[in-house]
Amino acid sequence: MTLSRRLTHFTVALAGAALLSTSLSAQARELSVSTVLSDAFPWGQAAERWAELVEERSEGRITLRVYPNSQLVSGDQTREFSAMRSGLIDLAVGSTINWSPQVPELNLFSLPFFIPDESAVDAVTGGEAGKMVFDAIESRGVVPLAWGENGFRQLSNSRGPISAPEDLDGLRIRVVGSPLFQDTFSALGADPTQMSWTDAQPALTTGAVDGQENPLSVFDVARIDQVGQEYLTLWNYMNDPLIFAANERVWASLDEADREMLRETAIEAGEWEIAMTREEEPERLADIEARGVNVTELSDEQHQAFVDATQAVHEKWVPRIGEAIVEAAQASMDAR
């Protein structure tokens, strides 16, 4: 064989190897999924369910690797959206609260005492306001795919029962890194203290903070009553929908069939997680009470006192969120 023919065979072999490598990479792809909580919680279970469905529907061609506990952002949950937008994270099941610093429209769900119950949540996320929120997310380089649910956030503390705004006077309450949360608890007379959940648990144990607010699922699974939180008030002051989403460049790199599959599985996982979260609430509350936690349920009059005390927060934040979105949300709730 002449030298030129040997070189030709070698070039063809290299080209074949490159094509094989390309074909294999197209057949098998791993995408990262960020979550704040592990699969001990419904939030983490939502991400794992999504991964299971994608593995099944793609026949193993696409793998979603779930990174819980905000691992991909060194534990700083408020950096998750920015990291996904920049491409450090491929996919996420994220919180409207944690993403709100970058997407102000997401503060819609954190307006105190605005969304009263689960049917109202569904009316908002499934209506025009939900579409407007998804448009706002997509305009910032992230593609929203589906809704999930972290639930209504309840208030706990180590000092005593809370049934009126004045009961919060001077209490140090751990809050997430959102100015809206700072304003809400300041309006109620509390001393809001921003810290990550990693830092919050030891702070509750030592008494550096008196209380915190979280959904019942977090209170239950994390055994927050074991760090001195003996008093729990059910006040449904805000809801935290979860959002399944993708980095826009990752999304664009997928073919149409895979994009449709990823969206469909996200919707399915979200619906599964929402139903599970809601079905488990009564049993969780019963378990919490059985552990000796003092639970306060507000009367209509008591609830209205908190609504009145936070009215100025609405006046400040509605323009920041967007009056059109707030009005659309209110219209959807009124039309239930």
Side-chain angles (χ1 to χ4, degrees):
M1 183 180 292
T2 65
L3 177 61
S4 63
R5 290 185 68 185
R6 287 200 300 270
L7 287 174
T8 299
H9 280 289
F10 181 66
T11 302
V12 170
L14 283 178
L19 285 171
L20 177 61
S21 175
T22 300
S23 175
L24 288 173
S25 64
Q27 292 174 0
R29 185 172 185 183
E30 181 176 289
L31 300 174
S32 63
V33 183
S34 176
T35 69
V36 170
L37 296 178
S38 73
D39 61 5
F41 302 84
W43 187 341
Q45 291 165 20
E48 293 291 349
R49 179 63 174 162
W50 192 17
E52 291 170 4
L53 290 171
V54 169
E55 178 86 8
E56 175 187 315
R57 305 284 166 81
S58 71
E59 298 181 338
R61 187 169 46 82
I62 299 177
T63 299
L64 305 190
R65 184 175 179 185
V66 179
Y67 292 85
N69 305 314
S70 304
Q71 292 178 50
L72 299 179
V73 285
S74 302
D76 185 354
Q77 59 210 57
T78 61
R79 289 176 48 214
E80 184 177 67
F81 187 86
S82 296
M84 183 164 49
R85 182 169 56 186
S86 68
L88 295 175
I89 294 171
D90 298 324
L91 311 169
V93 180
S95 158
T96 56
I97 299 169
N98 293 335
W99 294 1
S100 64
Q102 290 79 40
V103 188
E105 292 86 351
L106 289 173
N107 286 296
L108 171 70
F109 300 99
S110 298
L111 274 176
F113 307 102
F114 177 59
I115 301 177
D117 52 38
E118 291 167 349
S119 67
V121 174
D122 294 342
V124 173
T125 57
E128 184 61 27
K131 294 176 184 176
M132 295 167 76
V133 167
F134 269 24
D135 287 344
I137 293 171
E138 191 156 10
S139 72
R140 291 168 173 88
V142 170
V143 181
L145 305 176
W147 296 97
E149 183 163 282
N150 197 26
F152 281 98
R153 298 175 78 91
Q154 316 298 356
L155 177 67
S156 73
N157 82 103
S158 59
R159 295 292 191 88
I162 294 174
S163 59
E166 52 265 29
D167 295 332
L168 274 161
D169 283 350
L171 290 189
R172 293 163 295 178
I173 305 296
R174 176 265 174 181
V175 297
V176 297
S178 164
L180 177 49
F181 281 65
Q182 297 276 343
D183 288 346
T184 296
F185 281 90
S186 294
L188 293 170
D191 178 11
T193 304
Q194 181 209 328
M195 60 179 64
S196 70
W197 183 239
T198 302
D199 295 332
Q201 290 175 294
L204 292 166
T205 301
T206 62
V209 293
D210 300 309
Q212 61 85 53
E213 46 77 54
N214 255 309
L216 284 184
S217 61
V218 175
F219 189 98
D220 181 31
V221 176
R223 292 296 192 267
I224 296 178
D225 48 295
Q226 294 183 359
V227 292
Q229 298 294 285
E230 301 174 11
Y231 303 92
L232 178 67
T233 296
L234 304 180
W235 64 344
N236 283 20
Y237 87 111
M238 57 85 57
N239 189 275
D240 182 24
L242 302 177
I243 298 173
F244 294 69
N247 166 273
E248 67 175 1
R249 290 185 294 279
V250 168
W251 185 253
S253 72
L254 299 168
D255 63 32
E256 185 176 350
D258 282 342
R259 287 199 295 267
E260 184 62 22
M261 181 271 295
L262 209 60
R263 189 188 302 276
E264 287 179 354
T265 51
I267 292 171
E268 187 173 331
E271 291 174 345
W272 172 84
E273 187 265 343
I274 290 170
M276 175 186 65
T277 299
R278 294 178 181 180
E279 288 170 4
E280 291 177 345
E281 286 270 290
E283 185 176 348
R284 289 193 186 281
L285 180 58
D287 288 344
I288 290 167
E289 290 183 297
R291 297 200 298 266
V293 175
N294 181 301
V295 176
T296 298
E297 296 191 50
L298 302 179
S299 67
D300 290 344
E301 184 178 352
Q302 289 170 331
H303 181 270
Q304 188 60 44
F306 284 99
V307 173
D308 295 341
T310 54
Q311 189 57 43
V313 180
H314 283 243
E315 294 170 2
K316 177 179 179 179
W317 278 90
V318 167
R320 298 184 181 188
I321 296 166
E323 292 185 5
I325 290 180
V326 176
E327 290 172 0
Q330 187 65 63
S332 293
M333 291 190 288
D334 291 343
R336 284 179 293 163

